């Protein structure tokens, strides 16, 4: 299996930027499609972005399109989420996820998960 560790979360003012990182270990990273999800208090976990094995395909939730960018560096076994123009409604715990089978858009399509990193956007 693959182990995932997120980092880069924190407190930022509205309009600011953060870059999240997710470091993978345990298996060949390039064999896994990767995704970012988030979960706010009292809400279900929701899709943010996903990226294909080579990085050639990327997908975004409508709520973050044009503001967030997902990317990966297979040499560093890391996937990133660059978040710009942050809004208070982006406040959530952000999770990265991995799966070998498909580039999913739903939590159930990902087998492996990290522990999450908190992002808080103040107004």
């Amino acid at each position: 299996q693959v182990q995932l560790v997120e980092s880069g979360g924190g407190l930022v003012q509205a309009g600011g930027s953060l870059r999240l990182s997710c470091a993978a270990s345990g298996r060949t990273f390039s064999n896994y499609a990767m995704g970012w999800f988030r979960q706010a208090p009292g809400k279900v976990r929701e899709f943010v972005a996903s990226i294909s094995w080579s990085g050639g395909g990327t997908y975004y939730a409508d709520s973050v399109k044009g503001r967030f960018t997902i990317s990966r560096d297979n040499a560093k076994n890391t996937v990133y989420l660059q978040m710009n123009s942050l809004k208070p409604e982006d406040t959530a715990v952000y999770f990265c996820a991995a799966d070998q089978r498909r580039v999913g858009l739903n939590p159930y399509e990902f087998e492996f998960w990290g522990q999450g990193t908190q992002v808080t956007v103040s107004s």
Side-chain angles (χ1 to χ4, degrees), residues 17-98:
S17 298
L18 282 174
R19 188 176 82 154
L20 305 183
S21 300
C22 173
S25 62
R27 292 288 176 92
T28 304
F29 181 65
S30 58
N31 288 347
Y32 291 83
M34 301 297 296
W36 284 98
F37 291 79
R38 65 188 182 186
Q39 188 166 15
K43 295 190 176 181
V44 299
R45 192 167 297 189
E46 65 174 5
F47 170 74
V48 175
S50 59
I51 188 167
S52 64
W53 301 263
S54 65
T58 56
Y59 307 88
Y60 296 93
D62 287 343
S63 59
V64 307
K65 204 170 292 184
R67 300 188 298 123
F68 291 10
T69 303
I70 189 172
S71 62
R72 67 189 296 162
D73 185 338
N74 286 346
K76 295 183 178 180
N77 293 349
T78 302
V79 63
Y80 305 97
L81 186 68
Q82 178 66 45
M83 305 186 295
N84 299 329
S85 302
L86 283 161
K87 304 175 181 179
E89 52 262 45
D90 294 318
T91 295
V93 177
Y94 283 70
F95 299 88
C96 73

